[in-house]
Every structure is written in C-alpha cells, then in structure tokens.
Amino acid sequence: MFYVTVEVTVDTNLRGGTNQMSTISLEMTSSVGGRQSGRDASEQTIMQTGSATGRQIFPAPSEADFRHMFAFCDDGIFLTSRDVIVHANRAALRLLGADDQGDLQGLAMPDVLPYGESEDLTLHITRVVGNTYAMRRKLRRLDGSLIDVEVAMAPYHDDGDRGSDAGGNSRCMVIVRDLALRRRGANQPAMHEQQFQLITEAAPASIAYIDERSHYRFVNAVFANWLDKPIEEITGRTAAEVHGSAFGQMQAQIARALRGFRSSHEYQLQSRDGMRRVLAIHVPDRRDDGRVRGVFCFAIDITHEKREPDALHRKKQKLGILRQAAPTFVAECDQNYRIRAVDRNFSDQFGIARNDAIGELVPEIIGEAIFSQVRSFVDAALAGNAREHEIKLPFRNGSFHYLHIMYVPEFDTNGRVHGVSVAASDVTRLRPSGEPQHRREHDFKTLIENSPDGIARIDRNMRHIYVNPAIETVTGLQAEEYLGKTKAELGLPYDLVNAWESACRAAFESGTEQRFSFELKKNAGIHYYSARIIPETDHAGRIESVLGISYDVTERTRMEKEHQQLLARERQARIQAEMAAKARDEFLAIVSHELRAPLNGVQSWAHILENYVKDATSSALAQRALHGIRIGVAQQVRLIEDLLDVTRMMSGKLRLVKHPFMLLPAIQAAVESVRELAAAKHIGITCAYQISSEQVDGDSDRIQQAVWNLLSNAIKFTPQDGNVWLTAACADSQIMITVRDDGVGIAPEFLPHLFDRFSQQDTSSTRGHSGLGLGLFLVRHLIELHGGSVKVESSGEGQGTTFSIVLPLHTKRQRYPVITQDAASIENDASLPSLEGLQVLLVDDQEEARESLAILLATAGAAVFPAASSKEAFEWLSGIGPNELPDILICDIAMPVEDGYSVLRKIRTWESEQGNTPLRRLPALALTAFTQREDRIRALTAGFQMHMTKPVAPEELIVVIAMMTARG
C-alpha cells in the first residue's frame, strides 16, 4: 500500500512574473510484507515526516488514479526516476510535441531542459529533498525547437528511498509551464473555472470551499450526498451549522488552513449509510497579496480501504461503473465542427457507434435544430472563451431532459485553439419539478408557437437558434430555413439585415432592450414592422442570445400616415385661412384709414365754414349744406365702424371693457344722438324710462352702440311723420329695452334671417333704403357678449316692428349721479376753450387734412406750423429761437418713408444749438385713421399721451389740445 505526502504552494512573483504557479511535491512509501500497514503505518509516517517538514501524510490513490488526476492539469508534469522520464501528462506531451508515452522512452530530464538561468539541472534534482525548487529554463521539444518555460521540482520516494541520504534521492516530479501560455492565460480566466467545475462535479471525491468566515461557498454533489442534504441548505451556512457535533473533529484543521497552513486529518462522519471514516485535506486559497481568502476542502471515504486490503481495486471498479452509468456524455470536435472523440453515453444518446461518429460533422450527428441552439457556445469556445449553459433537449425515448453543457477550448503547443471539449450533464432531476412547472412551460411554448408575432432567438454570430411558425408571415420563408443561418445568408434585403444586426449588436453590447422599425416589400405592397430586441442572460449574467420580436404595424402605420396627411392639410388650410384673415384685416384697416383721412378734412372745413365764415352762416341754403355734410360724415364714419366691428367679431378680436355702469345714461345718450336724424324726417321719439340708477356689467359704449343701431334702424324704415317708441323697464333681475316703430314691418319668412350679417329684405337695385345689412348683426353679437339676448316681432309688412333687448342686472348695485338732459344741454352749450398763445407742430402727409387742421387750430387762436414730413419739421426747428419751440405735437401715424412713431422719437431726442434736448417732454397727440385697440395701445406705448381717430370732431380736438397743454 502506498502513502503519499502532497504539498501545494503558490508562487506569485517567480522571476518577476505575475501569475500563480502551482508546485506539487509527492512523497510515496510502500507498506508490504513485514512493514507496517493500514492505519498504524499511516499514523507513524505522519509522525515521522510531519515534525521535520511540516507536511502531512495521507493514503494516496493508485498510480493509475494518480496519473488520471494529473491528466486534467494545464501544466506539463513529468515523473522521473534517476533523471529518466517515466511518465508525462497530456500537457507535458503537448509541450514536447510527442504523440504518446512511447515517444519518451529513454529520454532524460536534463536533455529536455538543457539550458537555464542557473547551474546544471541534475544538481537541483538531487537537492530537492525537503522542499520544492523552481527556476526558469529552455525546454527542447522533440523537433529540436526551444521554448521558454518555468520549472518547479519536488521529490517523491518510496520506503526504500527513505533510508537513503538526501543526495541519493532517485524520484522527482518536474512541473513545466509554457511562459507563452502563461501570458495568454491572463486573457482566459473563465477557462480554469470551467475546468475546475467539470472536474469537481465528475470527481468521486467530496469537494467544498470555505470562505474566511467559515461559511460554505461551494460544495459538489458528493459532499451533499454524504451529508444527505440539498446543496442549497449547505451553501451560505457555517461549518459548525452544517456538521453539528462533528465540527469539533475538524475545527482545528480548518482554522490552521485559514492561517495559511495546509493540513490533513481523518475523522468520523455520520452519514445516511452509517458511520464513515473520512480523510480530509484542507488547502489555503491565497490572494495575490498572500492573504488567505478561503480553504479548499477535499475528502475521500477510506472506510473500506481501512477494512479490506483489496478495497482499492474494488473502488476502481466502482468508479468505472459509476463513470459509465453517470448521466454525462463527453465529446470533442475540431475547428471545422468535425467530431474527434465521443464517449459511450454520447453514442448511445444519438444512436451512432463511437467509431462511426469520428470524423463526422456535429450537425449531421445531433441534427441542425440542436446544433443551431449550441453553435454560438461552440464558436465562443473555438475563440478561446469557455462557456456553459443549460438547454432542454429531446432524448431518444421521446422525453425532454435539461442538460448542463460546458464548452472548454483545447490549445495546441503554440497557444492556438485547435478544438473544443464538450461535457454535458443531465440536470433534469435537479430542476424544480411538478405539474405547475410543466404547465407553465407548456403554456409558454403554446403562447410562443401560436403568437401572431414573429419571434426569433439569435446568437452572437447573428444566427437563428429558434423561430416560431409566425416568422413565415414576415418574410415568407419556412421556419426550418432560418435555423443556423443569418439574415444575410437567407437572402433578405440589405437594409433589413443591417437594421436587425445593428440592433442585435447594440443589445449584446449594452445589455438593454433595443427598438426599431423596418419595411418589407411583399405581396405587391409595402408592409411595416416594429421590432424589439430583448437580451437574454444565463445564470452567470452573460448575454449569449437575444430574442427578436416583430410586430406587423402596417394598418396602424397607414392610418398614422393618413392622419398625418390630414393634419398637414388641415394645418395648411388653417395657415391659409389665417393668412386670408390677416390679409382681410390689413385690407380693412387700410380701407378704414383711406376713408377716414379725407373725412377728417371734410369735417374740419365744415366746422370752419360754420363757425368762422360769417357769409356762409347767413344763408339758409349754406346752413343746410353744412348740416348735410355733417350728416354724411357721421354716416360714413358709422359705416366704417360697423365694417371694422364685424371684422373684429369674425376674427374673435372684439374686446369689451367691462365694468358695472348705470344703463339709463347710455340709453339717453343713444336717443340724443339720433334726435337730429329723426327730426329731419319729422319722426317723433317717445321715451318711457322705468329705471333710474340700475346697473349692468359691460361696456357702456357698446351698449349705447347697440341701442343707437336699433333706433337708427327704426327711423330709417319709418316713413315721414311716423313714430318711434323706446321703453326701459326692470323685472326679475333683468332690464328690458324695447324699440318699436310703425314703419314698413318685416315679412314673416325673412324674420329668421334678420340678424345675419349682410342680410337685407330688399336687395334689388331699386330698393328704397341704403346700408350694408350689418347693424342688426352687430346688435345681436354685442348683446350676447354682455350675456343678454335680442328678439324681434312683426305682424307683417306695413305693420311695424318691435325689437327687445334683455340684459342681466348687476347684482351689487352702486349708485351713480344721473346726468339730466338739462345738465347735458348746459355742457353742450359751453363755449370752446381758446388756444391763444400755443405753438402747435402739425405733421401730416395728406395736404387736405393738414391744411384744414392748420386753419381750424389757427382760428382757435393757436400758432400752427404744418409739416408734411419730419424733414420739414426739423428744418423749421433749426430756424426758430428757444422761445418759439412748440407746446404740442400733433402727428399722423401712417406716413410714407417715416411713420409717426419714428417722428416722435426723433423730435424728443432733437438737440438744439445749445446741446440740450428741450423737447424731450413735449406733449404729443396721435391723430390717425387706425382705430383698433392694438393701434391705440401701440401709440400710447410709443410715448403719445393721447390717441384720437380720424375724422375727429373739431370741438373735441380743441378741448383735448387745451387739456394737454394746460397739464404740461
């Protein structure tokens, strides 16, 4: 029986290197014949060597198992006897370029490692007795080429060797690492982890890892079976919690290993099969800085080895049976996907003899469907990156099993990948089982298979792993044609391929969902799709595939496009309507200006004739002519105002200045404004007021305008010597104003259209009344803006007409003094103020308006300088003295070259010869034909103190000038 001492050390700075290097020293002794055997010999050996070297001795496996364990190491391991190589593992054979052990016959270790940085290799082999030795040398391959290697040596000997001196040691283990592979290994950290897991799961020994806080972080299936506990109940718990009272047997050894010392001991373990004798080995796991971060624990059951001398043979048989019966199959393939080796389980699963499988392509053996699902992982391993995943595959008996598959790259002596080793384990029994899980999977598969959306799983090489049947409706290709192919290989359009691959790469790189849209021409039409790319991660967090979902949004896209077209047409129509409305407003404003400006001159000349030309006033005919002029001007101004008001109403720009006001004064003012018109036709106006101080909310000017329109309309359609009656009464929180006449009346069929704009009962060329048909339209709109209503009644033609206005009464009454007719008459009869001593600067480009205003103001006593432009005004200013500067500026707004706003700015910043600005506070009056509210606001904002519209009443103009200059 052999006993072996194993020591694992880590060198993190060997010759300036940065990678770890494992050094294993083995010490074998035999116990045969009269020598000690069994447990006593083992314990004696431990005592003999433990105190001298610090190493622990434990029973070792057979030489065959020992060599099998070395076969999985990445480093080359040579066993020598008297410097001659007696065995080499796979990695050592690859380093030498040898095919098998037979190529090593008679080969000495000094010949393999002829050159190095230190003295002769043989001297070192004879010195490695109580420790290991490491160096850097050149390794000569069988083809004569040399490569740089790191070498570590450790002795091993049998009982016969123990009697010899240190210098006579005949057995040595030499570990050789290719420095080129060591440098490349830094880029492949995951490969060792995959190999470690593969070994630990397949090994018949118990393997576990304990962190620095004594918590189990990893256990293999053998460990869990020994304790008869699930792995999930072991990982994360402390060793004391897992082992209970048995922890006392191992506590000291675990603590020693956590301090950095390797330890080995035997202890009793209560398992589900009874009391077991276990040999445990604890190896420290060090960080780069040398500190221990955990302990690897290896344990084997030595119960039968202690009881029976032939137990080792039976164990080997049992291991062989277990390996053949284990639910694992292994295969190897080259870079062209050709199979190089398979085990019996693989051949049984896929129904092909092992010899027949060799040399065949993988997809021909396992099928295109399965190969499309694993191809991305094989390609990753061929690129040098180990991979693992779980997959659900059908077995030959028709059942589905879950397999955990590992893909480990195989490297040649030059560090190039020349193949892949694949190990698959059946983990079906380890997955959550039961009908609910099966039902969920069945429901999920049913949902995917019957989804109307095209669904595909794509690997990192853009190849399709899976597609559902609905994918056929997207491109028209059969689902089987997709598997294992990229979209480019399917012959799809370049734009489609580029969009999909760009989105898939972005999903792989960022790990986030990607969305995009694409078009596809089919069935003589364009179809629109919306796509989502969803990354799929494995249990380790790696993204090995993405899920692509395509939604047919053709109908929705077409509807959206039609909607966008409708919106565009509506927007264009609205813009055109707004432009037309703006053009209409601008046109009406210009028309108003052009009509008002001449009327201002007419009205001014009429005032001059009436008040300052005595010959004109002495003739009755002249008086009648002047009266006709005033009436014509007033009608023209009213017509212009109605046109502008209708325009503002239609564009929604009519503004009301609402406030509580007494209604009676507004009604009386409207009546007084039409008395002269009624007197001209000998029409009597009878008023009956049953209100006094009642108030309504609104704009008093607009209410007066509405009442005036009704009165003027009644007077117009009442023949001479007729009558008009007006009443105002209050009832039920409302005020009703009624205007009745005994005129021509209204035909019943025309009553519904009476308040429409431009509506007239008689539109013939021989009609007896003038007008545009806007008055009643304005009345209804103005009253409705005040929250009231208007109605009309007529018994028919020749029966007269009655109009009624109803306005809501203001709830909180505030009484104002009522202006009586006598007071108004006194105010109207008051004489106009004198403008004596005032210097007026008048700027207006229209000659008639300028000249008539200049004469009007001059007759009122003012000294006026009329200027057609700012140029004439500044020339006049430059030629007068300081005492002759103007007291007020009267300026038109719309003028050629330079408008009134610019004239005002220049005059107020004008500097005299003395260098000052004497006119910076000059009062300014804007006299313009632009009458809209915005025009008034702009004038006042520009600096004018007053805004008056043309044609202006001469009396009002004189009063305003006197007021402004007195204030100044």
Side-chain angles (χ1 to χ4, degrees), residues 843-873:
V843 181
D844 196 322
D845 64 302
Q846 289 189 341
E847 184 177 358
E848 284 295 326
R850 184 174 67 252
E851 185 177 355
S852 61
L853 282 177
I855 295 175
L856 173 64
L857 297 179
T859 55
V864 183
F865 178 78
S869 63
S870 61
K871 179 180 179 182
E872 294 183 11

PDB file of all heavy atoms in Angstrom, residues 843-873:
ATOM      1  N   VAL A 843     -47.812 117.489 -38.026  1.00  0.00           N
ATOM      2  CA  VAL A 843     -47.133 116.672 -39.045  1.00  0.00           C
ATOM      3  C   VAL A 843     -48.165 115.717 -39.636  1.00  0.00           C
ATOM      4  O   VAL A 843     -48.694 114.834 -38.945  1.00  0.00           O
ATOM      5  CB  VAL A 843     -45.961 115.879 -38.446  1.00  0.00           C
ATOM      6  CG1 VAL A 843     -45.260 115.069 -39.540  1.00  0.00           C
ATOM      7  CG2 VAL A 843     -44.978 116.823 -37.757  1.00  0.00           C
ATOM      8  N   ASP A 844     -48.469 115.907 -40.936  1.00  0.00           N
ATOM      9  CA  ASP A 844     -49.430 115.042 -41.636  1.00  0.00           C
ATOM     10  C   ASP A 844     -49.092 115.085 -43.112  1.00  0.00           C
ATOM     11  O   ASP A 844     -48.901 116.162 -43.685  1.00  0.00           O
ATOM     12  CB  ASP A 844     -50.858 115.525 -41.382  1.00  0.00           C
ATOM     13  CG  ASP A 844     -51.889 114.457 -41.741  1.00  0.00           C
ATOM     14  OD1 ASP A 844     -51.685 113.738 -42.750  1.00  0.00           O
ATOM     15  OD2 ASP A 844     -52.882 114.336 -41.013  1.00  0.00           O
ATOM     16  N   ASP A 845     -49.015 113.901 -43.755  1.00  0.00           N
ATOM     17  CA  ASP A 845     -48.601 113.869 -45.158  1.00  0.00           C
ATOM     18  C   ASP A 845     -49.746 114.214 -46.099  1.00  0.00           C
ATOM     19  O   ASP A 845     -49.512 114.558 -47.253  1.00  0.00           O
ATOM     20  CB  ASP A 845     -48.061 112.465 -45.495  1.00  0.00           C
ATOM     21  CG  ASP A 845     -49.129 111.407 -45.378  1.00  0.00           C
ATOM     22  OD1 ASP A 845     -49.699 111.276 -44.266  1.00  0.00           O
ATOM     23  OD2 ASP A 845     -49.397 110.699 -46.365  1.00  0.00           O
ATOM     24  N   GLN A 846     -51.023 114.132 -45.648  1.00  0.00           N
ATOM     25  CA  GLN A 846     -52.147 114.458 -46.514  1.00  0.00           C
ATOM     26  C   GLN A 846     -52.405 115.965 -46.488  1.00  0.00           C
ATOM     27  O   GLN A 846     -52.642 116.551 -45.434  1.00  0.00           O
ATOM     28  CB  GLN A 846     -53.399 113.700 -46.052  1.00  0.00           C
ATOM     29  CG  GLN A 846     -53.316 112.198 -46.334  1.00  0.00           C
ATOM     30  CD  GLN A 846     -54.638 111.505 -46.081  1.00  0.00           C
ATOM     31  OE1 GLN A 846     -55.491 112.053 -45.381  1.00  0.00           O
ATOM     32  NE2 GLN A 846     -54.796 110.323 -46.666  1.00  0.00           N
ATOM     33  N   GLU A 847     -52.339 116.547 -47.672  1.00  0.00           N
ATOM     34  CA  GLU A 847     -52.408 118.014 -47.761  1.00  0.00           C
ATOM     35  C   GLU A 847     -53.740 118.556 -47.269  1.00  0.00           C
ATOM     36  O   GLU A 847     -53.783 119.532 -46.512  1.00  0.00           O
ATOM     37  CB  GLU A 847     -52.164 118.443 -49.211  1.00  0.00           C
ATOM     38  CG  GLU A 847     -52.129 119.952 -49.394  1.00  0.00           C
ATOM     39  CD  GLU A 847     -51.816 120.354 -50.822  1.00  0.00           C
ATOM     40  OE1 GLU A 847     -51.582 119.440 -51.657  1.00  0.00           O
ATOM     41  OE2 GLU A 847     -51.809 121.568 -51.104  1.00  0.00           O
ATOM     42  N   GLU A 848     -54.890 117.970 -47.676  1.00  0.00           N
ATOM     43  CA  GLU A 848     -56.201 118.479 -47.276  1.00  0.00           C
ATOM     44  C   GLU A 848     -56.374 118.414 -45.773  1.00  0.00           C
ATOM     45  O   GLU A 848     -56.846 119.358 -45.134  1.00  0.00           O
ATOM     46  CB  GLU A 848     -57.304 117.673 -47.970  1.00  0.00           C
ATOM     47  CG  GLU A 848     -57.517 118.008 -49.429  1.00  0.00           C
ATOM     48  CD  GLU A 848     -58.013 119.428 -49.605  1.00  0.00           C
ATOM     49  OE1 GLU A 848     -58.762 119.927 -48.737  1.00  0.00           O
ATOM     50  OE2 GLU A 848     -57.625 120.052 -50.597  1.00  0.00           O
ATOM     51  N   ALA A 849     -56.010 117.261 -45.188  1.00  0.00           N
ATOM     52  CA  ALA A 849     -56.152 117.127 -43.736  1.00  0.00           C
ATOM     53  C   ALA A 849     -55.236 118.098 -43.011  1.00  0.00           C
ATOM     54  O   ALA A 849     -55.622 118.717 -42.012  1.00  0.00           O
ATOM     55  CB  ALA A 849     -55.834 115.688 -43.330  1.00  0.00           C
ATOM     56  N   ARG A 850     -53.987 118.263 -43.529  1.00  0.00           N
ATOM     57  CA  ARG A 850     -53.021 119.158 -42.874  1.00  0.00           C
ATOM     58  C   ARG A 850     -53.487 120.602 -42.945  1.00  0.00           C
ATOM     59  O   ARG A 850     -53.458 121.340 -41.949  1.00  0.00           O
ATOM     60  CB  ARG A 850     -51.652 118.971 -43.541  1.00  0.00           C
ATOM     61  CG  ARG A 850     -50.544 119.781 -42.890  1.00  0.00           C
ATOM     62  CD  ARG A 850     -49.196 119.438 -43.507  1.00  0.00           C
ATOM     63  NE  ARG A 850     -49.086 119.849 -44.889  1.00  0.00           N
ATOM     64  CZ  ARG A 850     -49.085 119.042 -45.932  1.00  0.00           C
ATOM     65  NH1 ARG A 850     -49.202 117.744 -45.755  1.00  0.00           N
ATOM     66  NH2 ARG A 850     -48.975 119.521 -47.162  1.00  0.00           N
ATOM     67  N   GLU A 851     -53.948 121.006 -44.131  1.00  0.00           N
ATOM     68  CA  GLU A 851     -54.339 122.405 -44.297  1.00  0.00           C
ATOM     69  C   GLU A 851     -55.605 122.737 -43.512  1.00  0.00           C
ATOM     70  O   GLU A 851     -55.683 123.787 -42.851  1.00  0.00           O
ATOM     71  CB  GLU A 851     -54.567 122.697 -45.778  1.00  0.00           C
ATOM     72  CG  GLU A 851     -54.858 124.163 -46.077  1.00  0.00           C
ATOM     73  CD  GLU A 851     -55.008 124.441 -47.558  1.00  0.00           C
ATOM     74  OE1 GLU A 851     -54.790 123.498 -48.359  1.00  0.00           O
ATOM     75  OE2 GLU A 851     -55.346 125.577 -47.905  1.00  0.00           O
ATOM     76  N   SER A 852     -56.612 121.845 -43.543  1.00  0.00           N
ATOM     77  CA  SER A 852     -57.857 122.134 -42.824  1.00  0.00           C
ATOM     78  C   SER A 852     -57.617 122.186 -41.317  1.00  0.00           C
ATOM     79  O   SER A 852     -58.176 123.045 -40.608  1.00  0.00           O
ATOM     80  CB  SER A 852     -58.900 121.070 -43.155  1.00  0.00           C
ATOM     81  OG  SER A 852     -58.458 119.778 -42.748  1.00  0.00           O
ATOM     82  N   LEU A 853     -56.771 121.270 -40.806  1.00  0.00           N
ATOM     83  CA  LEU A 853     -56.484 121.274 -39.362  1.00  0.00           C
ATOM     84  C   LEU A 853     -55.704 122.529 -38.966  1.00  0.00           C
ATOM     85  O   LEU A 853     -55.918 123.110 -37.899  1.00  0.00           O
ATOM     86  CB  LEU A 853     -55.696 120.015 -38.973  1.00  0.00           C
ATOM     87  CG  LEU A 853     -56.511 118.722 -38.846  1.00  0.00           C
ATOM     88  CD1 LEU A 853     -55.599 117.544 -38.539  1.00  0.00           C
ATOM     89  CD2 LEU A 853     -57.549 118.858 -37.742  1.00  0.00           C
ATOM     90  N   ALA A 854     -54.772 122.946 -39.846  1.00  0.00           N
ATOM     91  CA  ALA A 854     -53.977 124.139 -39.536  1.00  0.00           C
ATOM     92  C   ALA A 854     -54.882 125.369 -39.444  1.00  0.00           C
ATOM     93  O   ALA A 854     -54.757 126.192 -38.524  1.00  0.00           O
ATOM     94  CB  ALA A 854     -52.900 124.334 -40.595  1.00  0.00           C
ATOM     95  N   ILE A 855     -55.820 125.515 -40.378  1.00  0.00           N
ATOM     96  CA  ILE A 855     -56.742 126.667 -40.341  1.00  0.00           C
ATOM     97  C   ILE A 855     -57.665 126.565 -39.137  1.00  0.00           C
ATOM     98  O   ILE A 855     -57.948 127.558 -38.452  1.00  0.00           O
ATOM     99  CB  ILE A 855     -57.537 126.731 -41.653  1.00  0.00           C
ATOM    100  CG1 ILE A 855     -56.591 127.012 -42.830  1.00  0.00           C
ATOM    101  CG2 ILE A 855     -58.624 127.778 -41.575  1.00  0.00           C
ATOM    102  CD1 ILE A 855     -57.270 126.980 -44.173  1.00  0.00           C
ATOM    103  N   LEU A 856     -58.158 125.303 -38.828  1.00  0.00           N
ATOM    104  CA  LEU A 856     -59.039 125.120 -37.681  1.00  0.00           C
ATOM    105  C   LEU A 856     -58.368 125.552 -36.388  1.00  0.00           C
ATOM    106  O   LEU A 856     -58.944 126.294 -35.570  1.00  0.00           O
ATOM    107  CB  LEU A 856     -59.449 123.634 -37.594  1.00  0.00           C
ATOM    108  CG  LEU A 856     -60.243 123.225 -36.347  1.00  0.00           C
ATOM    109  CD1 LEU A 856     -61.581 123.921 -36.316  1.00  0.00           C
ATOM    110  CD2 LEU A 856     -60.405 121.710 -36.291  1.00  0.00           C
ATOM    111  N   LEU A 857     -57.128 125.127 -36.190  1.00  0.00           N
ATOM    112  CA  LEU A 857     -56.430 125.472 -34.946  1.00  0.00           C
ATOM    113  C   LEU A 857     -56.040 126.943 -34.920  1.00  0.00           C
ATOM    114  O   LEU A 857     -56.005 127.574 -33.853  1.00  0.00           O
ATOM    115  CB  LEU A 857     -55.185 124.575 -34.795  1.00  0.00           C
ATOM    116  CG  LEU A 857     -55.461 123.067 -34.665  1.00  0.00           C
ATOM    117  CD1 LEU A 857     -54.150 122.300 -34.540  1.00  0.00           C
ATOM    118  CD2 LEU A 857     -56.367 122.773 -33.476  1.00  0.00           C
ATOM    119  N   ALA A 858     -55.722 127.483 -36.106  1.00  0.00           N
ATOM    120  CA  ALA A 858     -55.359 128.909 -36.156  1.00  0.00           C
ATOM    121  C   ALA A 858     -56.557 129.779 -35.789  1.00  0.00           C
ATOM    122  O   ALA A 858     -56.421 130.802 -35.099  1.00  0.00           O
ATOM    123  CB  ALA A 858     -54.826 129.250 -37.537  1.00  0.00           C
ATOM    124  N   THR A 859     -57.770 129.390 -36.278  1.00  0.00           N
ATOM    125  CA  THR A 859     -58.958 130.164 -35.931  1.00  0.00           C
ATOM    126  C   THR A 859     -59.288 130.063 -34.451  1.00  0.00           C
ATOM    127  O   THR A 859     -59.976 130.930 -33.892  1.00  0.00           O
ATOM    128  CB  THR A 859     -60.147 129.652 -36.753  1.00  0.00           C
ATOM    129  OG1 THR A 859     -60.302 128.238 -36.558  1.00  0.00           O
ATOM    130  CG2 THR A 859     -59.931 129.922 -38.231  1.00  0.00           C
ATOM    131  N   ALA A 860     -58.781 128.986 -33.780  1.00  0.00           N
ATOM    132  CA  ALA A 860     -58.996 128.851 -32.337  1.00  0.00           C
ATOM    133  C   ALA A 860     -57.943 129.608 -31.545  1.00  0.00           C
ATOM    134  O   ALA A 860     -57.960 129.576 -30.312  1.00  0.00           O
ATOM    135  CB  ALA A 860     -58.992 127.379 -31.945  1.00  0.00           C
ATOM    136  N   GLY A 861     -56.992 130.276 -32.246  1.00  0.00           N
ATOM    137  CA  GLY A 861     -56.018 131.124 -31.573  1.00  0.00           C
ATOM    138  C   GLY A 861     -54.621 130.559 -31.528  1.00  0.00           C
ATOM    139  O   GLY A 861     -53.705 131.224 -31.020  1.00  0.00           O
ATOM    140  N   ALA A 862     -54.371 129.357 -32.038  1.00  0.00           N
ATOM    141  CA  ALA A 862     -53.039 128.758 -31.961  1.00  0.00           C
ATOM    142  C   ALA A 862     -52.180 129.181 -33.130  1.00  0.00           C
ATOM    143  O   ALA A 862     -52.686 129.510 -34.209  1.00  0.00           O
ATOM    144  CB  ALA A 862     -53.156 127.241 -31.927  1.00  0.00           C
ATOM    145  N   ALA A 863     -50.823 129.182 -32.899  1.00  0.00           N
ATOM    146  CA  ALA A 863     -49.852 129.389 -33.972  1.00  0.00           C
ATOM    147  C   ALA A 863     -49.427 128.008 -34.441  1.00  0.00           C
ATOM    148  O   ALA A 863     -48.869 127.219 -33.675  1.00  0.00           O
ATOM    149  CB  ALA A 863     -48.667 130.184 -33.472  1.00  0.00           C
ATOM    150  N   VAL A 864     -49.689 127.708 -35.701  1.00  0.00           N
ATOM    151  CA  VAL A 864     -49.500 126.334 -36.207  1.00  0.00           C
ATOM    152  C   VAL A 864     -48.441 126.333 -37.283  1.00  0.00           C
ATOM    153  O   VAL A 864     -48.452 127.195 -38.176  1.00  0.00           O
ATOM    154  CB  VAL A 864     -50.823 125.779 -36.773  1.00  0.00           C
ATOM    155  CG1 VAL A 864     -50.627 124.342 -37.231  1.00  0.00           C
ATOM    156  CG2 VAL A 864     -51.930 125.870 -35.735  1.00  0.00           C
ATOM    157  N   PHE A 865     -47.496 125.330 -37.165  1.00  0.00           N
ATOM    158  CA  PHE A 865     -46.564 125.073 -38.273  1.00  0.00           C
ATOM    159  C   PHE A 865     -46.912 123.703 -38.847  1.00  0.00           C
ATOM    160  O   PHE A 865     -46.663 122.671 -38.239  1.00  0.00           O
ATOM    161  CB  PHE A 865     -45.111 125.093 -37.821  1.00  0.00           C
ATOM    162  CG  PHE A 865     -44.158 124.784 -38.961  1.00  0.00           C
ATOM    163  CD1 PHE A 865     -43.852 125.774 -39.890  1.00  0.00           C
ATOM    164  CD2 PHE A 865     -43.599 123.513 -39.135  1.00  0.00           C
ATOM    165  CE1 PHE A 865     -43.009 125.504 -40.949  1.00  0.00           C
ATOM    166  CE2 PHE A 865     -42.748 123.248 -40.193  1.00  0.00           C
ATOM    167  CZ  PHE A 865     -42.441 124.246 -41.111  1.00  0.00           C
ATOM    168  N   PRO A 866     -47.523 123.692 -40.076  1.00  0.00           N
ATOM    169  CA  PRO A 866     -47.861 122.413 -40.702  1.00  0.00           C
ATOM    170  C   PRO A 866     -46.663 121.865 -41.473  1.00  0.00           C
ATOM    171  O   PRO A 866     -46.062 122.564 -42.291  1.00  0.00           O
ATOM    172  CB  PRO A 866     -49.019 122.770 -41.629  1.00  0.00           C
ATOM    173  CG  PRO A 866     -48.794 124.205 -41.979  1.00  0.00           C
ATOM    174  CD  PRO A 866     -48.065 124.842 -40.824  1.00  0.00           C
ATOM    175  N   ALA A 867     -46.329 120.574 -41.225  1.00  0.00           N
ATOM    176  CA  ALA A 867     -45.196 119.932 -41.900  1.00  0.00           C
ATOM    177  C   ALA A 867     -45.681 118.641 -42.542  1.00  0.00           C
ATOM    178  O   ALA A 867     -46.448 117.874 -41.939  1.00  0.00           O
ATOM    179  CB  ALA A 867     -44.066 119.648 -40.923  1.00  0.00           C
ATOM    180  N   ALA A 868     -45.221 118.419 -43.777  1.00  0.00           N
ATOM    181  CA  ALA A 868     -45.612 117.203 -44.490  1.00  0.00           C
ATOM    182  C   ALA A 868     -44.753 116.019 -44.112  1.00  0.00           C
ATOM    183  O   ALA A 868     -45.106 114.865 -44.389  1.00  0.00           O
ATOM    184  CB  ALA A 868     -45.539 117.439 -45.989  1.00  0.00           C
ATOM    185  N   SER A 869     -43.588 116.245 -43.475  1.00  0.00           N
ATOM    186  CA  SER A 869     -42.684 115.158 -43.104  1.00  0.00           C
ATOM    187  C   SER A 869     -41.810 115.632 -41.954  1.00  0.00           C
ATOM    188  O   SER A 869     -41.790 116.815 -41.589  1.00  0.00           O
ATOM    189  CB  SER A 869     -41.807 114.744 -44.297  1.00  0.00           C
ATOM    190  OG  SER A 869     -40.975 115.821 -44.701  1.00  0.00           O
ATOM    191  N   SER A 870     -41.050 114.690 -41.397  1.00  0.00           N
ATOM    192  CA  SER A 870     -40.146 115.031 -40.299  1.00  0.00           C
ATOM    193  C   SER A 870     -39.022 115.943 -40.787  1.00  0.00           C
ATOM    194  O   SER A 870     -38.503 116.768 -40.020  1.00  0.00           O
ATOM    195  CB  SER A 870     -39.557 113.753 -39.698  1.00  0.00           C
ATOM    196  OG  SER A 870     -38.805 113.058 -40.684  1.00  0.00           O
ATOM    197  N   LYS A 871     -38.652 115.807 -42.049  1.00  0.00           N
ATOM    198  CA  LYS A 871     -37.588 116.660 -42.596  1.00  0.00           C
ATOM    199  C   LYS A 871     -37.986 118.123 -42.512  1.00  0.00           C
ATOM    200  O   LYS A 871     -37.207 118.968 -42.048  1.00  0.00           O
ATOM    201  CB  LYS A 871     -37.297 116.257 -44.030  1.00  0.00           C
ATOM    202  CG  LYS A 871     -36.215 117.086 -44.703  1.00  0.00           C
ATOM    203  CD  LYS A 871     -35.978 116.611 -46.129  1.00  0.00           C
ATOM    204  CE  LYS A 871     -34.900 117.474 -46.792  1.00  0.00           C
ATOM    205  NZ  LYS A 871     -34.680 117.068 -48.207  1.00  0.00           N
ATOM    206  N   GLU A 872     -39.240 118.451 -42.934  1.00  0.00           N
ATOM    207  CA  GLU A 872     -39.712 119.832 -42.850  1.00  0.00           C
ATOM    208  C   GLU A 872     -39.806 120.276 -41.395  1.00  0.00           C
ATOM    209  O   GLU A 872     -39.495 121.433 -41.066  1.00  0.00           O
ATOM    210  CB  GLU A 872     -41.071 119.963 -43.527  1.00  0.00           C
ATOM    211  CG  GLU A 872     -41.044 119.734 -45.034  1.00  0.00           C
ATOM    212  CD  GLU A 872     -42.408 119.938 -45.653  1.00  0.00           C
ATOM    213  OE1 GLU A 872     -43.300 120.455 -44.942  1.00  0.00           O
ATOM    214  OE2 GLU A 872     -42.597 119.594 -46.845  1.00  0.00           O
ATOM    215  N   ALA A 873     -40.201 119.393 -40.513  1.00  0.00           N
ATOM    216  CA  ALA A 873     -40.322 119.748 -39.099  1.00  0.00           C
ATOM    217  C   ALA A 873     -38.963 120.108 -38.519  1.00  0.00           C
ATOM    218  O   ALA A 873     -38.833 121.100 -37.777  1.00  0.00           O
ATOM    219  CB  ALA A 873     -40.945 118.582 -38.332  1.00  0.00           C
TER     220      ALA A 873
END
